[in-house]
Amino acid sequence: MLESSNPPPSAALLRRVLSEVGLPIAEPMAVAAPARAVPLPSRLATGDLAWASVSAVIAASGYRTLPDPDRISLAYRSDAVLTVDGMRPDVWSPLSGFWRSSDGWIRTHANYPHHTRRLRDGLRLPDRAGPDDMRAVIGERRSDELVDAISRARGLAVVVGTENPALDRTLQARPLLDVDGPAPLDVHLSPAAPDPLPLAGIRVLDLTRVIAGPVCTRTLALLGADVLRVDPPTLPEPEWQHLDTGHGKRSTVIDARSSGFRDLLDSADVVVLGYRPASLARLGLSAEALRERHPRLLIAELSAWGSEHPDRAGFDSLVQAESGIAMIESPDGATPGALPAQALDHSAGYLLAAGITALLRRRAAENRGWRIRTSLRRIAAELLGMPRQSIPAPTSELDTSPHTRSFAVAGHRITTVAPVIPGLEFSAPRPWGSDQPTW
């Protein structure tokens, strides 16, 4: 039993998350603190956030087993474990990173080719311009001026800021998983792991990319859902990125304005949205439009900056930089740093998967749909409000061998991190865009 009136941060967060989705936890096993800290060394409580996020999925699914802290740490750093034919892919563009301006720092993101092109356009750099060219141009200009120019060219950059406690308190007062639907029933977790898998027979339409959404839908597939990832024909996904998070899903390419896509949507139980809300609205895929046409559909939304900023794109690294996390994690008090993993992305993915799973269990009794949403910025506010330490705790190098799995995919040997839910195993990722747009 948890006898303390002040549970550890991970347990307190887990209790609140499950309460938000209508599954109050009575079993202390499900809110226990880890036997040892999750080895994600940082000043902020990254390990506690990761433990609570993963444990939320396990608890919401009805399982009784506790996750392994080392496995969680490696799962959150999965891009550093991934190999393709024994080689680690280069996951960052040379134009993504921190850059010193005349009055501070900016953070850029250019991992997709169109982001690289827009970044160069915003800085008026030639097509072949590299890091040295960027460094020279950025160093001569103010941070706000640079970000404004890049943003007007639809590139991605933010001013590296300090934390804003007033904004964080406002965000912390809101649910971490914002559920819009019927009031919670008195539903309790199953006493043992469900058999068959808890999401068997559930159809999930996956309109996401870049870690948070794909981690969510990969987890739903692990729990038995039929997940079909849908991408637009004009925006190919980096192969490594899909292989890192594509386990157990099928993957297709289709225009969201087509009748074929509408047929998929008509038969879906869940749709997970990870694109900018404003872009989805222009396609007729806003949550409001979907709810009107499909009242029993469970609509899950992930965004970088929250519903207040529907037209603003972003990524974990940018949210860390603007929210103040980068300066808190500074190695020297002057140079921006980063969390030991893209923890906002991974936590958002696992937490949203937990919420979806819990709401699907409620839907059987309540016979209607929900809208559930969270954002990387809301996750950042939660992390910034958790206890922190002045110096990261030291950790030793982890042995990855017990925590990896290998697959044959399209003639390649892929090694990835194993699932964080004990007792379950991933199915192999399928090549991106290789499946027909059918259930």
Side-chain angles (χ1 to χ4, degrees), residues 216-241:
C216 170
T217 53
R218 179 186 67 184
T219 305
L220 300 179
L222 181 66
L223 293 170
D226 177 7
V227 178
L228 179 62
R229 171 169 168 157
V230 175
D231 284 275
T234 57
L235 196 58
E237 182 79 334
E239 182 185 43
W240 73 265
Q241 196 158 265

Side-chain angles (χ1 to χ4, degrees), residues 14 18 23 25 27-32 54-67 188-200 219-225 357 361 419-425:
L14 176 55
L18 293 173
L23 289 178
I25 290 295
E27 299 183 43
M29 175 284 304
V31 292
V54 170
S55 296
V57 177
I58 296 173
S61 304
Y63 290 100
R64 298 176 60 91
T65 49
L66 294 175
H188 297 283
L189 295 181
S190 305
D195 184 22
L197 292 170
L199 300 186
T219 305
L220 300 179
L222 181 66
L223 293 170
T357 302
R361 294 176 63 194
V420 292
I421 302 179
L424 300 184
E425 291 293 341

Side-chain angles (χ1 to χ4, degrees), residues 5 7 23 65 135 221 313 372 380:
S5 61
L23 289 178
T65 49
R135 193 172 292 109
I372 179 172

Side-chain angles (χ1 to χ4, degrees), residues 2 7-12 14 28-38 48 51 55 66-67 69:
L2 285 178
S10 57
L14 176 55
M29 175 284 304
V31 292
R36 61 186 187 283
V38 175
D48 287 296
W51 173 267
S55 296
L66 294 175

Side-chain angles (χ1 to χ4, degrees), residues 40 42 45-47 49-50 53 76-77 211-212 316-317 320 325 339-351 376 379-380 383:
L40 289 170
S42 55
T46 309
L49 175 66
S53 303
Y76 268 57
R77 297 181 289 120
I211 305 180
D316 183 305
S317 58
Q320 285 193 41
I325 290 174
L339 298 174
Q342 295 194 66
L344 308 180
D345 264 329
H346 285 272
S347 295
Y350 286 119
L351 287 169
L376 303 187
I379 303 291
L383 181 59

